[in-house]
Amino acid sequence: MPSRSPAPVLPHPSAGLRIVGPPCPRAEQVLTREALRFLEELDRGFGPTRRRLLARRGAFRAALRAGRTPGFPPETRSVRRSDWKIPSPPADLRDRRVEITGPVDRKMIINALNSGAKVYMADFEDAHSPTWVGTIAGQVNLWDAVRRRIEYRSPDGRDYRLNDRTATLMVRPRGWHLLERHVRRRERPISASLFDYGLFLFHNAVELRRRGTGPYFYLPKLEHYLEARLWNDVFSFSEGRLGLPPGTIRATVLIETLPAAFQMDEILWELRDHSVGLNCGRWDYLFSFVKQFRDDGKRLFPDRALLTMSTPFLTAYSHRLIATCHRRGAHAMGGMAAQIPIREDPTANAEAIARVVADKEREVRAGHDGTWVAHPGLVPVAEKVFDLEMPRPNQIDRPVREEAVRPHELLAIPSGPITREGVRRNTRVALRYLESWLRGIGCVPIDHLMEDAATVEIARSQLWQWIHHRAPLEGGGVVDPRLFRSFLSSESEELRSEVAEVPGGGAVDRAGALLNRAVSSRSFVEFITLLAYPELADAPPGVTS
């Protein structure tokens, strides 16, 4: 079995960081000289490896283009075949039956911590629009929340404070592919992952331990076990640098890319002393699937609404994650319930809740140890299902499925129609989300669902794939730029009237232009957030790396 690389030793800091963001309330509280020194050490020590690993992305797609069927890495066969387990979870992460996720704005943090969920994942990634002001405010808000000093008064005069008993806090930094353009070292923007992670850890790790918990993280968008190894090196260095016992930092990895689905054992192994589980990030997983198969006009996904977890390739992905986690003593976390209570329509609300219940019953009966919800109103719904089916804190010791999931099961493309309504819905959700994101709002209610960037990525990637390959429509015709732009025009007109009262009239035209650019481009845009980031109101002139 491969041996672990020793924790890296970094040289003494030299060049400093330059902040190019606008002034923010209480920024001086988190952007201290000592914290910036720590961020500088992280970026200088791990930035080059990060860039090398990002440059390696694309090997999986290249294999598909060459007609090869991807499989499990042959060089890590001993990792998959050996018997090993991760350390037991900390006491406050043993029971994760319901986790709530949401952005790092002040009211959301209070409501999520008070929601009754076991865990709250504070999200600097898909549910966050990374304006500089919003990102710094999120760090300040979490600083206050960790110390139980967070309060909020809404415009209607309501006061929000923490209850005596609150959810365990986890934090999701931005993915390895993203930059924080407002902080530069030698004129190169630093890694957004290291910025989000490092600033939170530096200010809160010791205080979290003092309060009987710890610094816990969710890690997004990994595509290779070497990217998990990089996180492990970051964790080990951080623990040594901040005087934390080894293994203090614990992390759950979201399996939300197709390449990562073939490397679950390896990802747990690389993070072993810091790992606490894997999660089914299903919307981003679908996006990654389209991205990897984008060159193949014979492998077109049907309407997004048909891509449920009962689809065979998603069932195989879920079963592989559960079997892998339980064999290694790790939590196997289920996916998101994005529904929002529909108070004005009891019948529609009952139907939505029934869908949530069915989804959570499927998860817990399959073997998942917990699940995600996006709204506090769904916490008791999901909790009731898991309480009935899983009376113990988790079911990690549940027997592992004996039959292994094979590569062709993970790669099976679902069949189904592509409809005009499917094209319209993808256009609608992508436009509406981007319009809010450009105004600094990263978690957006659309058609009674709480949407984040993952939904936009699958929606716009399907639009690109359908247009690029002139996908046949049910009932005749094909998906082409003209059809897309007709829906974009009508949806833009409707949205423009809804945001007319927003200062500046909203960002409909800019969002429409961005979406059209991503969907109509001859080459596939890897992440639409990379395309949109320079368009944020407080983004400085771009420097890419």
Side-chain angles (χ1 to χ4, degrees), residues 15 43 120 144 160 285 328 449 474 485 524-525 534:
D43 192 70
Y120 160 51
D144 287 345
Y160 294 79
Y285 186 72
R328 306 308 183 185
L449 296 173
E474 184 181 51
R485 287 173 187 147
F524 187 86
V525 175

Side-chain angles (χ1 to χ4, degrees), residues 148-175:
R148 300 189 62 85
R149 299 177 188 173
I150 189 168
E151 297 180 352
Y152 174 75
R153 171 162 285 190
S154 67
D156 63 7
R158 292 181 60 190
D159 289 323
Y160 294 79
R161 296 182 178 85
L162 293 180
N163 296 336
D164 291 338
R165 190 170 184 176
T166 58
T168 297
L169 176 65
M170 299 185 78
V171 173
R172 177 162 68 169
R174 282 169 281 179

Side-chain angles (χ1 to χ4, degrees), residues 324-399:
T324 301
C325 285
H326 288 181
R327 185 182 178 201
R328 306 308 183 185
H331 284 100
M333 302 302 297
M336 172 67 76
Q339 286 81 355
I340 302 169
I342 311 171
R343 296 184 176 87
E344 69 277 11
D345 188 338
T347 301
N349 187 64
E351 293 172 353
I353 295 301
R355 288 193 292 272
V356 173
V357 169
D359 185 50
K360 301 313 167 191
E361 287 176 341
R362 175 195 57 78
E363 287 182 329
V364 70
R365 290 169 183 171
H368 281 291
D369 302 290
T371 191
W372 274 15
V373 300
H375 192 280
L378 293 184
V379 170
V381 175
E383 186 177 54
K384 182 177 180 181
V385 172
F386 272 77
D387 285 349
L388 287 172
E389 301 280 348
M390 190 183 78
R392 294 176 297 168
N394 56 64
Q395 46 189 344
I396 291 174
D397 59 355
R398 176 172 171 164

Side-chain angles (χ1 to χ4, degrees), residues 44-90:
R44 184 164 34 80
F46 302 105
T49 302
R50 166 192 163 271
R51 289 189 289 273
R52 285 196 298 272
L53 291 176
L54 289 176
R56 291 180 50 154
R57 288 185 174 182
F60 192 95
R61 175 179 165 236
L64 291 172
R65 291 187 67 182
R68 299 193 299 272
T69 300
F72 306 112
E75 74 274 14
T76 55
R77 187 176 291 109
S78 63
V79 171
R80 294 190 299 277
R81 292 182 175 179
S82 301
D83 289 328
W84 53 268
K85 291 183 181 293
I86 67 167
S88 298

Side-chain angles (χ1 to χ4, degrees), residues 155-305:
D156 63 7
R158 292 181 60 190
D159 289 323
Y160 294 79
R161 296 182 178 85
L162 293 180
N163 296 336
D164 291 338
R165 190 170 184 176
T166 58
T168 297
L169 176 65
M170 299 185 78
V171 173
R172 177 162 68 169
R174 282 169 281 179
W176 279 133
H177 62 290
L178 296 172
L179 298 171
E180 179 46 73
R181 296 190 180 206
H182 304 89
V183 183
R184 297 177 180 177
R185 189 175 72 85
R186 297 178 179 173
E187 293 311 305
R188 187 197 295 271
I190 74 170
S191 160
S193 304
L194 296 177
F195 178 83
D196 297 340
Y197 156 83
L199 210 54
F200 175 79
L201 185 80
F202 183 86
H203 289 297
N204 299 294
V206 172
E207 182 67 21
L208 286 165
R209 280 177 50 78
R210 191 181 72 83
R211 293 176 177 271
T213 181
Y216 307 143
F217 295 92
Y218 259 99
L219 305 180
K221 306 291 190 293
L222 273 66
E223 291 198 14
H224 197 278
Y225 65 83
L226 293 178
E227 296 177 22
R229 181 181 298 176
L230 176 58
W231 269 119
N232 192 71
D233 288 345
V234 170
F235 293 162
S236 295
F237 167 77
S238 301
E239 288 167 340
R241 171 69 166 75
L242 300 179
L244 304 171
T248 294
I249 299 168
R250 301 298 290 270
T252 297
V253 173
L254 290 126
I255 301 298
E256 52 188 354
T257 68
L258 183 55
F262 288 83
Q263 301 183 29
M264 295 183 192
D265 280 292
E266 290 85 347
I267 287 169
L268 284 173
W269 167 256
E270 294 295 345
L271 281 161
R272 187 175 49 170
D273 295 336
H274 296 110
S275 186
V276 77
L278 303 176
N279 174 287
C280 284
R282 54 196 184 190
W283 277 128
D284 270 307
Y285 186 72
L286 292 173
F287 162 53
S288 176
F289 217 109
V290 174
K291 182 191 296 190
Q292 299 298 333
F293 280 99
R294 64 184 184 256
D295 303 305
D296 190 344
K298 297 180 180 179
R299 293 174 177 257
L300 302 180
F301 269 27
D303 280 5
R304 182 165 54 94

